[in-house]
Amino acid sequence: MADTSVYRAGTTAPVNIAVVKYWGKRDAKLNLPTNSSISVTLSQADLRTLTTASCSTTFTEDSLTLNGEVSDISGARTQACFRELRARRAALEAANASLPKLSTMPLKIVSENNFPTAAGLASSAAGFAALVQAIANLYELPDSPSDLSLIARQGSGSACRSLFGGYVAWRMGDKEDGSDSKADLVAEASHWPGMRALILVASAAKKGVSSTSGMQQTVATSGLFKERIERIVPDNMAAMEDAIHNRNFEKFAEVSMRDSNSFHACCADTYPPIFYMNDVSRAAIRAVESINAKAGKTIAAYTFDAGPNCVVYYLDENKDAVLGAFVETLGSTSGWKAGIGAQVGVLDETVAEILRDGVTRVIMTGVGEGPIKTDEFLIEANGETAKR
Amino acid sequence: MADTSVYRAGTTAPVNIAVVKYWGKRDAKLNLPTNSSISVTLSQADLRTLTTASCSTTFTEDSLTLNGEVSDISGARTQACFRELRARRAALEAANASLPKLSTMPLKIVSENNFPTAAGLASSAAGFAALVQAIANLYELPDSPSDLSLIARQGSGSACRSLFGGYVAWRMGDKEDGSDSKADLVAEASHWPGMRALILVASAAKKGVSSTSGMQQTVATSGLFKERIERIVPDNMAAMEDAIHNRNFEKFAEVSMRDSNSFHACCADTYPPIFYMNDVSRAAIRAVESINAKAGKTIAAYTFDAGPNCVVYYLDENKDAVLGAFVETLGSTSGWKAGIGAQVGVLDETVAEILRDGVTRVIMTGVGEGPIKTDEFLIEANGETAKR
């Protein structure tokens, strides 16, 4: 008799925010980067993608639903992930005839973010990490997170870093087929658990230049970019790993800020220039500088991805000084957790005014764990999408 | 009998706006740059400094009045200009005993700009060029503009380029004493007379980080800067001279825009980062891109000095297309000359809105001549400051 079962498995996956940035592909098809990168995985209590993967002979075709909307899966990146995962499942099935032939069944994937898509919050990283991990769970693949990161990388480069919690490096590798371009763990979240992140959401508008197109333009036209990938990033990688291993926040902060500056400098040096930061972003930088000046040492670090949002890293032990300065100005903005007292007069009034006008919400989070298997399913046992 | 005459001479001097930027000193005391640069001298009909230099035994001390306010002349830069000019006059006097001993008399200098000081309009360039040229006229020095540019350079680096009209290079030189770091003519204004500049004044506020301090921070901390001065600028210098000699506007424009991008990228890569451009500046870039897209070729070029003002270079033959697009949005802003018809719908509405809110005035000008000797004096024949 034909197997008409619905097989399903679920996972959550985290967002990560790089402190040494990925910008530039040496191979666009395989998503191979021009440089290595390091990120901090953020807590899924605050930001996560929840994905259910299912397969069944009763499904008519592969499908992906993201935040309630049917998503196009014909793109090469999603197809690459499906193909690689099916191939690994097929190998298991070939070795063990008793396994159901999941690799031959249409996949149905349903995914939800608990944060706005495409607001510069690395949603594609969490999304592809969750997609790959959910299907790996469904297929009961024995692959390690680092092995799975090879697949997620083909979906979205920075997704490979979301297969791990804590402090994660993406090693660029040097093989042409990309088989050594994958994530590995620099340190568990528990190694340095006090790392916190305050995200100042400057705009929820869709961004103007996509990361993929932007980084290709930078590689092709920026005269300064070569120096970044050949000298600046390798130095930053070594310094950042050292800072993480030694829990040296001042060094972590300086490298984060310098690397973010260098990345956005290369965007500005692109022809035509790419600008992800705006006046609100720049005010956030001045705010961080004021907080550090007031403290007499570096207790906060800014970093910006391909969008205007500022991510401020700080240690839990300095939360009063760091959060308090922002609460004084942004206290009426949504997203604050309880119990933070305002620190009056740290920020310059011009800076405060720009932040008040331009920051639409804040997100308080911190370093967190990698993907977590879950029984919270977005697809019912009968294969239908769950009503939410 | 003692000579109690009041000797006086006057000059006007122009502003120049670089198309390959000066940013970085290899010797701060002598104002020796890390790279060569090229600028266009702008017409004194629109922007100029008028300076009268006088000397007399009846004056009690050296003095400088700028725009009606007594200026501090104790700084090393002004002192260097006075010292160098006096030394050259003293040499003439030593060779010819009949010359009055002007070199021994206190100097009184009065200067006026016809535009706001420190609004990012290169006022120090015009100011020091006028100071040096006026005193050279007073002292009847036989020195060439290039010789005088050596002196002006010690007052303000980019001032050396304002000793010439037209298209001017500042050769960085390689001598330790700076004796080969001076301006020379790439081409007269008459070689390519159609060059026009529209200045979008984004803010008349004093700037946050002075050029001098900013460029020293870039030299000290930017990881990308070395690539700019060693490879990018030399390439841009060669390409720009070629573009000027061949009156190739498309090349002139591309090099101008790329060099401005590269300079501001190095500012953004400085630690802590320096931002001269703001959201209004970036909107102006998008406007120029739209104008070029509409034209189907490059008919306008943006460049930004150490401030938010956009200078748009274009050729007179394209004035309808270039000015018209800005008039449509900024027609009610002060500074337009008569007879420009609006070109509707070239600029994106978001860009237009940012420009309307942020551009406080426009200045229409174009390539022009070098310093011009004048009998319009700001000091009376009796040595008193003229009432204006």
Side-chain angles (χ1 to χ4, degrees), chain A residues 97-275:
Chain A
S98 72
L99 291 177
K101 301 288 180 290
L102 304 192
S103 67
T104 64
M105 300 176 188
L107 282 162
K108 173 175 177 169
I109 319 283
V110 179
S111 194
E112 278 184 3
N113 296 331
N114 64 350
F115 57 91
T117 306
L121 282 171
S123 58
S124 67
F128 272 104
L131 177 95
V132 168
Q133 185 69 60
I135 298 174
N137 291 351
L138 175 71
Y139 288 170
E140 297 183 331
L141 300 182
D143 301 67
S144 70
S146 201
D147 291 338
L148 293 179
S149 81
L150 277 172
I151 304 175
R153 185 204 78 223
Q154 295 174 62
S156 170
S158 55
C160 74
R161 296 185 310 241
S162 277
L163 269 304
F164 289 92
Y167 304 84
V168 186
W170 173 10
R171 311 294 178 187
M172 63 181 290
D174 55 20
K175 293 193 182 161
E176 272 196 25
D177 67 357
S179 59
D180 58 350
S181 185
K182 57 188 176 178
D184 76 27
L185 192 64
V186 174
E188 301 275 4
S190 60
H191 165 75
W192 201 5
M195 186 66 69
R196 297 287 176 270
L198 173 70
I199 306 177
L200 307 175
V201 181
S203 164
K206 284 242 179 188
K207 50 192 184 192
V209 178
S210 81
S211 308
T212 295
S213 136
M215 64 176 76
Q216 292 308 84
Q217 293 166 38
T218 300
V219 172
T221 67
S222 165
L224 301 175
F225 181 65
K226 194 163 161 279
E227 184 72 2
R228 168 168 167 80
I229 63 175
E230 290 184 355
R231 201 177 59 81
I232 307 291
V233 172
D235 287 355
N236 286 349
M237 285 293 294
M240 182 55 79
E241 288 191 69
D242 190 58
I244 292 169
H245 287 138
N246 294 301
R247 300 183 197 90
N248 180 339
F249 185 82
E250 295 220 22
K251 189 167 188 179
F252 171 95
E254 180 173 342
V255 177
S256 295
M257 294 188 280
R258 282 180 178 271
D259 193 80
S260 177
N261 294 345
S262 156
F263 152 46
H264 289 280
C266 287
C267 290
D269 186 53
T270 300
Y271 186 75
I274 300 169
F275 302 112

Side-chain angles (χ1 to χ4, degrees), chain A residues 314-368:
Chain A
Y314 62 98
L315 292 179
D316 191 57
E317 67 201 47
N318 293 314
K319 65 170 183 260
D320 291 345
V322 177
L323 298 180
F326 286 108
V327 160
E328 158 71 2
T329 291
L330 296 172
S332 60
T333 308
S334 70
W336 292 106
K337 295 175 183 175
I340 306 152
Q343 298 272 331
V344 181
V346 179
L347 308 193
D348 175 271
E349 189 42 47
T350 312
V351 164
E353 196 178 312
I354 296 171
L355 292 178
R356 246 188 320 262
D357 287 351
V359 174
T360 57
R361 61 179 288 204
V362 304
I363 298 168
M364 288 177 60
T365 185
V367 65

Side-chain angles (χ1 to χ4, degrees), chain B residues 39 82 106 118 123 300 306 316 324 326 370:
Chain B
S39 56
F82 284 3
S123 58
D316 192 55
F326 285 110

Side-chain angles (χ1 to χ4, degrees), chain B residues 51-100:
Chain B
T51 297
T52 305
S54 67
C55 62
S56 172
T57 56
T58 65
F59 298 156
T60 52
E61 56 180 2
D62 291 344
S63 69
L64 170 64
T65 302
L66 174 59
N67 290 329
E69 303 211 347
V70 175
S71 197
D72 178 15
I73 54 161
S74 66
R77 293 151 160 245
T78 309
Q79 287 299 317
C81 292
F82 284 3
R83 188 173 58 244
E84 292 265 350
L85 290 158
R86 279 199 164 104
R88 289 172 199 228
R89 172 69 189 183
L92 296 182
E93 292 165 0
N96 179 351
S98 74
L99 291 177

